Amino acid sequence: KAGVTQTPRYLIKTRGQQVTLSCSPISGHRSVSWYQQTPGQGLQFLFEYFSETQRNKGNFPGRFSGRQFSNSRSEMNVSTLELGDSALYLCASSHSRGATDTQYFGPGTRLTVL
Amino acid sequence: QKEVEQDPGPLSVPEGAIVSLNCTYSNSAFQYFMWYRQYSRKGPELLMYTYSSGNKEDGRFTAQVDKSSKYISLFIRDSQPSDSATYLCAMATGGSNYKLTFGKGTLLTVNP
């Protein structure tokens, strides 16, 4: 079974631009969560989507948004990029929702904001 | 105070050593405790999952949870160079609004 895939793997943007990252979950998985990983803050939860609806949200500004499509693929968007948005953005999928459902992570998208 | 504290290391040990990795937490609502391993340029992968206090063993890995002290540990026996990675503890509350809260991770290097 193919794992979680994320595209693109690397991105370089400038301040003020916007960016869209894509995540394809494992086949059959309906829950997709997004995380931001930085050396200073570690891995932080952004949001979770299940059945095309945002079910949970972390403490990030409204510039960070996402959506999920009917095939469970998900995108996240960051508008008006800031230098501090430079990070590894990880997507994780699970079969359903809940702490007992293992989350499988993709390799991440490395975003650099100049 | 952060909800989850983890010593970032780095930790360097010789091959065959016993490794102890630890996290403390402040949120008594955490019920589920996990350890993830992250190799360089890869996403985290789940190593161990425990619910409630006590020990859980899987091969060379043992996860320990002490809810009364709000302290969790991961022990690696007979460590191998292939164990070199960043180890992240993660915790979650129950219910439909659950989300994973991670420690910052400990970088482990096992030297041959």
Side-chain angles (χ1 to χ4, degrees), chain A residues 70-97:
Chain A
S70 57
N71 61 359
S72 295
R73 192 177 69 84
S74 178
E75 289 180 346
M76 69 162 280
N77 184 277
V78 188
S79 62
T80 320
L81 283 166
E82 300 177 0
L83 294 179
D85 297 333
S86 293
L88 181 68
Y89 289 88
L90 290 157
C91 156
S93 76
S94 58
H95 186 263
S96 186
R97 305 190 66 228

Side-chain angles (χ1 to χ4, degrees), chain A residues 23-98:
Chain A
C23 171
S24 293
I26 291 172
S27 177
H29 284 192
R30 296 168 62 197
S31 175
V32 173
S33 297
W34 287 89
Y35 296 85
Q36 181 196 65
Q37 187 173 32
T38 61
Q41 298 299 319
L43 243 165
Q44 294 184 283
F45 173 77
L46 279 157
F47 28 65
E48 178 208 1
Y49 285 87
F50 181 81
S51 292
E52 303 176 65
T53 303
Q54 188 180 94
R55 303 296 178 136
N56 206 350
K57 191 177 189 315
N59 296 323
F60 280 82
R63 300 184 297 107
F64 292 82
S65 63
R67 59 178 175 167
Q68 186 180 34
F69 302 95
S70 57
N71 61 359
S72 295
R73 192 177 69 84
S74 178
E75 289 180 346
M76 69 162 280
N77 184 277
V78 188
S79 62
T80 320
L81 283 166
E82 300 177 0
L83 294 179
D85 297 333
S86 293
L88 181 68
Y89 289 88
L90 290 157
C91 156
S93 76
S94 58
H95 186 263
S96 186
R97 305 190 66 228

Side-chain angles (χ1 to χ4, degrees), chain B residues 1-43:
Chain B
Q1 182 188 11
K2 288 197 70 109
E3 279 190 295
V4 180
E5 301 276 5
Q6 182 176 9
D7 186 341
L11 187 58
S12 182
V13 302
E15 184 175 351
I18 296 175
V19 176
S20 171
L21 303 165
N22 313 293
C23 288
T24 58
Y25 62 95
S26 57
N27 186 350
S28 56
F30 286 140
Q31 300 179 42
Y32 302 91
F33 304 91
M34 288 142 269
W35 286 94
Y36 281 81
R37 176 175 62 195
Q38 185 174 21
Y39 290 114
S40 180
R41 301 186 193 282
K42 302 272 190 183

Side-chain angles (χ1 to χ4, degrees), chain A residues 37 40 56 97-98 100 103 106, chain B residues 32 38 43-44 49 96-98 104:
Chain A
Q37 187 173 32
N56 206 350
R97 305 190 66 228
T100 57
Q103 292 195 13
Chain B
Y32 302 91
Q38 185 174 21
Y49 165 89
S96 60
N97 219 29
Y98 101 101
K104 287 191 179 181

